[in-house]
Amino acid sequence: MTTTTTEAATSPRRRASFRPLTIREVRPLTDNAVEVTFAIPDELTDDFNYVSGQYVALRTELEGKEVRRSYSICAEPTPGELRIAIKRDVGGLFSNWANDNLQAGHVIDVMSPTGAFISQHAMTALNDPEAMAQESIDSGLSRYVAFAAGSGITPVLAIAKALLARNPHAYLNLVYSNRAAMDVMFVEELADLKDRYPTRLAIHHLLSREQRLSPPTPVASMPTS
Ligand SMILES: Cc1cc2nc3c(=O)[nH]c(=O)nc-3n(C[C@H](O)[C@H](O)[C@H](O)COP(=O)(O)OP(=O)(O)OC[C@H]3O[C@@H](n4cnc5c(N)ncnc54)[C@H](O)[C@@H]3O)c2cc1C
């Protein structure tokens, strides 16, 4: 286990650099999105230490040109792996290529995690073992509201998981907007999270283009889970 801290993971001084990482698994999330899990070898643990909410850039060559795209990490910090989710963008170059082509065993360049869209409550023992040992942190009642749309759920899911696990006094209302039920990414993960924290998590799905039998309204809402 590394002893690097959240500060190290978020420090502007950490030099972002691309490393070839092997894909461990590609899992379909919807008809238009996949989750990609990378294996992080021991020697790259410090380079790929991350905090919930951060993102990585992927780099490859497509149509004779270098292409770089950013993707948020969608899981809590987990030793030895890093997960992202890539949703197809209509007409988009990289996202469609990735959904059609990425497979377990492929190697692709990934830049070390970066980004300041994080919660201080999102720390885990992976990136801040010292803070985890401090009983005083996260001991107060806290209410949070998070809004996400489409693939924007990825960093929010990672932060929500860490927040609810880390702070037993945290209550989270998550508003998640999609066009239709079939576009909702991480359906199972969200249901599992709700099962795990039934009184502390409320998920409100907004579906803007779901077909309904009753007269149409601008925004249809699924029952709050
Ligand atoms: C910090 C960050 C985190 C992100 N996290 C995620 C994430 O977790 N999951 C996720 O799925 N995405 C995420 N994104 C978005 C992602 O980086 C890509 O932008 C997205 O996948 C689209 O890339 P693409 O190459 O498929 O599309 P591009 O080829 O870049 O095209 C984007 C759009 O522009 C249109 N377009 C392209 N060329 C033209 C043209 N000449 N004229 C008119 N229109 C054109 C395309 O049709 C498409 O709709 C994130 C972005 C950032 C900055």
Side-chain angles (χ1 to χ4, degrees):
M1 167 84 55
T2 175
T3 54
T4 53
T5 63
T6 304
E7 251 170 54
T10 56
S11 167
R13 278 176 296 170
R14 178 164 81 175
R15 271 183 64 190
S17 56
F18 280 102
R19 306 280 184 181
L21 293 185
T22 303
I23 294 175
R24 180 179 286 163
E25 186 188 359
V26 177
R27 181 170 70 100
L29 293 173
T30 67
D31 288 350
N32 291 310
V34 288
E35 180 187 65
V36 180
T37 304
F38 294 98
I40 309 294
D42 286 348
E43 64 272 21
L44 294 183
T45 297
D46 283 349
D47 287 342
F48 282 88
N49 177 28
Y50 58 91
V51 178
S52 300
Q54 289 194 301
Y55 66 92
V56 293
L58 307 192
R59 178 176 72 181
T60 193
E61 199 173 301
L62 295 176
E63 301 174 0
K65 284 188 231 153
E66 184 184 289
V67 178
R68 296 180 181 203
R69 295 290 185 271
S70 302
Y71 294 95
S72 298
I73 299 165
C74 60
E76 284 181 272
T78 308
E81 70 173 42
L82 183 153
R83 290 170 190 246
I84 58 169
I86 306 176
K87 183 178 179 183
R88 287 182 192 272
D89 197 337
V90 177
L93 180 61
F94 184 87
S95 61
N96 286 291
W97 172 83
N99 270 266
D100 291 336
N101 293 285
L102 291 183
Q103 286 178 22
H106 285 181
V107 176
I108 187 164
D109 287 344
V110 182
M111 190 183 267
S112 40
T114 187
F117 180 65
I118 59 166
S119 158
Q120 72 173 91
H121 299 279
M123 296 179 292
T124 73
L126 173 68
N127 46 47
D128 209 334
E130 286 169 21
M132 286 291 287
Q134 288 176 25
E135 279 299 311
S136 59
I137 288 186
D138 298 338
S139 58
L141 173 69
S142 310
R143 296 191 184 277
Y144 297 85
V145 180
F147 297 90
S151 65
I153 190 66
T154 49
V156 175
L157 177 64
I159 290 173
K161 279 183 177 174
L163 168 68
L164 292 165
R166 178 73 187 96
N167 181 357
H169 307 289
Y171 288 77
L172 174 63
N173 269 287
L174 169 60
V175 182
Y176 185 20
S177 175
N178 281 279
R179 288 193 185 127
M182 63 183 294
D183 297 321
V184 177
M185 295 166 69
F186 297 109
V187 174
E188 282 172 27
E189 283 79 358
L190 290 169
D192 287 350
L193 209 56
K194 177 65 190 165
D195 288 345
R196 204 177 314 156
Y197 307 106
T199 59
R200 296 200 287 123
L201 173 65
I203 304 173
H204 310 274
H205 288 279
L206 300 182
L207 303 175
S208 59
R209 292 191 199 164
E210 185 75 2
Q211 297 282 340
R212 284 163 63 99
L213 296 174
S214 51
T217 51
V219 175
S221 59
M222 278 169 48
T224 300
S225 50

